[in-house]
Amino acid sequence: MTKRLTLLCLLAGMLALAPAVWAQGQSGTLEITGVPADVPAGRYDRQAGVFSADVSAIEGALVHVTFEEVKIVGQTMEWRTDDDYLIFTGGATLTKEDFTVTGDTLEYFGKEKKLHAVGSVVVVTDDATVYANELVYDEETDEAVFTGQVKVVFDDGVLEGEKFVMFLEKSELQFFGAFQGTFETD
Amino acid sequence: MNLSTKAKWIAAGTVAVAVLLFITFRYAAQPPPPAVSVPPSVQLQESRLVGRKDGQRQWEILSRSVLQEGDVVTLRELEEMVVFQDEEPYLTIQAPEAEWERKTELLRLFGPVLVEGEEGFRLESDYLEWQGRSSKLLSPGPVQMLWRGMEISADTMTMDTEGEIVFLQGNVEIRDGGLVWKLEEAVYDLDAESMDFYGNVVLEGEAGSD
């Protein structure tokens, strides 16, 4: 089980670090698809340094943000270029290689180097699926904090609690408050 | 001398005067020049033309050659062209040739056309139309613009100079620092510096951008 959790930690770490790539000046793309030519897709306020897009009313239309191997797909987003803040609302999915993060809201704070997912958060990896109400990853402290009805589902067991912290480099897990686990044994 | 003799003398004098007049005009006077077909046009050299709307100066053109034919004024070897807004110079235009339709207030500029304005505004097109009635500058063909550090290109452009709004259509590309926007249609509010994007959008962030 320790091995599985370590893998989960590493994957989550890669996931959380990924948005910083845009801020570091690497190549990335934002693409809005499925929008008829006469329908507004987004607005760029250059003075405020804000690009916003809302295609939720257009069937089949999506906003894709890609940097390196990370892809975020949603329908409503705002990007504040000055402080490198990106937010997807109304549901979004972040994908990198073999894992995904889904949440009602996904935010990346470039200056603070934090990733924030809120509402029906689901992190899926090859080894486990983590459910929570909220996920905050802080690049500085290297902490990924899952809170609110946290549930970690493995092939052979389930862990449930209210707060679950992963210290990525140390591959350390902390469970706060009451936590209960159920595992199948050979 | 009785009356009939007097009448005879008068008649003879009249005949003599008529003969003299005939000889004078037939042989002595120069014949009138033959009729020449003159087109209803006026050609001027080194002229300054001023277009006005409601008394306000809209544009001013200094041209070496001005040919007026009916309602169309053709200007060649343009030296200076200025578009005014509120009586102040707003845009300067360089073009080799222009046509002004007075009745429709349409100024056609044949390229290569270069428009320059404040804050580094620069626009290049092969053909531009200035629609005086609606105060719109139109490029029905490809256009390239520079504005506040942005490079903009599109298949067609319409600029509403009163509202300071630029409508860009077809293969719109906006290069802003390390960001490159590619889209089908954009409406750019020059004053507010905001752009509305229509249809599918692609933003590419280049290496080295912040």
Side-chain angles (χ1 to χ4, degrees):
Chain A
M1 186 184 132
T2 309
K3 188 184 169 191
R4 287 185 185 128
L5 286 175
T6 306
L7 275 171
L8 179 65
C9 292
L10 289 171
L11 288 168
M14 288 163 72
L15 166 160
L17 286 166
V21 169
W22 191 295
Q24 286 164 4
Q26 301 299 312
S27 60
T29 61
L30 181 151
E31 199 169 350
I32 304 176
T33 57
V35 183
D38 57 344
V39 176
R43 166 173 282 203
Y44 179 40
D45 184 335
R46 195 169 177 248
Q47 221 164 32
V50 176
F51 174 73
S52 54
D54 184 355
V55 294
S56 56
I58 307 165
E59 198 180 339
L62 289 171
V63 180
H64 312 254
V65 173
T66 308
F67 20 72
E68 303 290 294
E69 296 161 339
V70 178
K71 189 167 194 172
I72 305 175
V73 179
Q75 289 192 304
T76 306
M77 61 85 70
E78 185 176 296
W79 175 37
R80 299 178 201 161
T81 59
D82 289 346
D83 53 3
D84 203 27
Y85 169 79
L86 183 70
I87 180 169
F88 273 84
T89 54
T93 301
L94 184 153
T95 310
K96 180 174 176 16
E97 293 175 345
D98 53 358
F99 68 85
T100 61
V101 180
T102 305
D104 293 340
T105 301
L106 289 183
E107 288 174 285
Y108 178 70
F109 301 84
K111 280 189 176 171
E112 290 86 5
K113 296 186 177 176
K114 279 185 183 172
L115 178 74
H116 190 198
V118 185
S120 308
V121 176
V122 182
V123 177
V124 181
T125 74
D126 286 345
D127 301 293
T129 302
V130 182
Y131 299 88
N133 290 339
E134 192 173 352
L135 161 67
V136 176
Y137 174 73
D138 187 331
E139 281 181 56
E140 300 290 332
T141 59
D142 202 32
E143 282 181 6
V145 182
F146 293 87
T147 51
Q149 298 177 301
V150 180
K151 189 175 173 183
V152 186
V153 180
F154 302 99
D155 288 342
D156 56 356
V158 177
L159 283 167
E160 289 181 83
E162 278 305 308
K163 188 175 177 184
F164 169 51
V165 180
M166 297 192 291
F167 296 91
L168 305 171
E169 277 200 4
K170 290 188 280 184
S171 300
E172 190 179 311
L173 307 177
Q174 281 186 2
F175 298 92
F176 291 81
F179 236 93
Q180 63 179 50
T182 311
F183 288 91
E184 289 175 15
T185 53
D186 294 330
Chain B
M1 186 183 292
N2 58 25
L3 189 61
S4 86
T5 308
K6 200 183 264 185
K8 282 176 186 172
W9 274 107
I10 289 169
T14 304
V15 169
V17 168
V19 168
L20 275 171
L21 282 173
F22 173 77
I23 290 165
T24 303
F25 283 99
R26 176 66 180 84
Y27 299 105
Q30 290 292 320
V36 176
S37 173
V38 180
S41 66
V42 177
Q43 179 132 21
L44 306 168
Q45 303 288 319
E46 297 283 353
S47 301
R48 185 177 292 274
L49 285 183
V50 179
R52 292 182 186 276
K53 184 182 178 185
D54 302 326
Q56 280 208 325
R57 189 166 43 169
Q58 275 199 305
W59 48 264
E60 201 170 294
I61 299 171
L62 183 63
S63 174
R64 285 190 180 176
S65 167
V66 178
L67 174 67
Q68 182 177 335
E69 290 177 292
D71 289 323
V72 179
V73 179
T74 304
L75 306 123
R76 292 192 181 90
E77 296 180 74
L78 298 175
E79 289 189 340
E80 187 183 292
M81 188 181 307
V82 181
V83 174
F84 290 84
Q85 194 176 60
D86 301 327
E87 289 286 332
E88 292 295 322
Y90 178 62
L91 300 171
T92 60
I93 301 171
Q94 291 174 40
E97 191 176 330
E99 253 181 31
W100 175 37
E101 283 186 19
R102 293 169 61 189
K103 277 191 177 172
T104 54
E105 293 179 39
L106 186 69
L107 183 66
R108 292 193 177 94
L109 301 161
F110 300 96
V113 185
L114 173 62
V115 183
E116 290 177 298
E118 291 175 350
E119 298 181 72
F121 175 80
R122 185 183 168 95
L123 185 151
E124 287 177 69
S125 174
D126 282 341
Y127 172 77
L128 280 181
E129 273 183 20
W130 167 256
Q131 299 176 344
R133 286 183 183 171
S134 55
S135 299
K136 282 179 181 165
L137 190 66
L138 200 87
S139 173
V143 64
Q144 288 89 42
M145 293 167 65
L146 284 180
W147 173 244
R148 290 182 179 167
M150 282 192 294
E151 293 173 42
I152 301 167
S153 62
D155 285 349
T156 67
M157 180 223 66
T158 303
M159 182 191 289
D160 178 348
T161 57
E162 283 185 352
E164 295 201 336
I165 290 174
V166 180
F167 300 87
L168 300 156
Q169 284 186 311
N171 294 309
V172 179
E173 190 171 303
I174 300 162
R175 193 174 288 270
D176 186 9
L179 301 177
V180 183
W181 301 92
K182 292 176 182 176
L183 44 136
E184 296 165 44
E185 193 177 325
V187 178
Y188 183 13
D189 185 329
L190 294 172
D191 193 38
E193 276 201 82
S194 71
M195 285 180 246
D196 286 318
F197 297 156
Y198 290 76
N200 294 331
V201 176
V202 174
L203 165 66
E204 292 170 357
E206 293 178 337
S209 66
D210 292 325

